[in-house]
Amino acid sequence: AKYDLQNGQAVYDANCAACHAAGVMGAPKTGTVRKWNSRLAQGLDTMIQKSIDGYSGTYRGSTTFMPAKGGNPDLTNKEVGDSVAYMINQVL
Ligand code: HEB
């Protein structure tokens, strides 16, 4: 497989869960289908690239921040890809 979901879970636990497990400050909560449905339409590659680069959005009138690589510049693009694939797998 292109993505290693087991490695993705380890990367997620260490770098992404702080925001995405509870879904704080506009972060889509892991495993909550309605938070991910509209995002999935972009496709996996786009979601991975945005997670590598970081981006800003809006949620309930406030600006949101998805930090580049979740704020850990030591992560490789492959590690971010694995963790995004892991997150998406939780809502499929
Ligand atoms: Fe995040 C979003 C992933 C970390 C915050 N994120 C997001 C998404 C994804 C992710 C996939 C979706 C995208 C689209 O839609 O396109 N993250 C992720 C990962 C990680 C993370 C993989 C690890 C590496 N985050 C994180 C952190 C935080 C966050 C740590 C906090 C600080 N995010 C976030 C937010 C959001 C996101 C807020 C939302 C934005 C908007 O608005 O959209």
Side-chain angles (χ1 to χ4, degrees):
K2 188 170 178 189
Y3 297 102
D4 181 339
L5 296 178
Q6 199 176 327
N7 183 52
Q9 179 165 18
V11 175
Y12 169 84
D13 287 347
N15 300 280
C16 319
C19 293
H20 287 276
V24 297
M25 295 184 301
K29 187 172 177 175
T30 307
T32 300
V33 172
R34 73 173 191 286
K35 296 289 186 185
W36 289 91
N37 255 342
S38 61
R39 299 175 185 273
L40 295 175
Q42 305 171 85
L44 179 61
D45 291 348
T46 298
M47 295 175 79
I48 291 171
Q49 194 60 52
K50 287 165 72 182
S51 301
I52 291 167
D53 295 339
Y55 74 101
S56 184
T58 54
Y59 180 69
R60 293 182 173 170
S62 297
T63 302
T64 61
F65 297 99
M66 166 62 205
K69 295 183 172 179
N72 182 357
D74 292 341
L75 292 179
T76 64
N77 291 356
K78 173 68 162 58
E79 287 171 321
V80 177
D82 287 349
S83 56
V84 173
Y86 166 77
M87 292 167 81
I88 288 175
N89 196 244
Q90 305 306 305
V91 290
L92 295 184

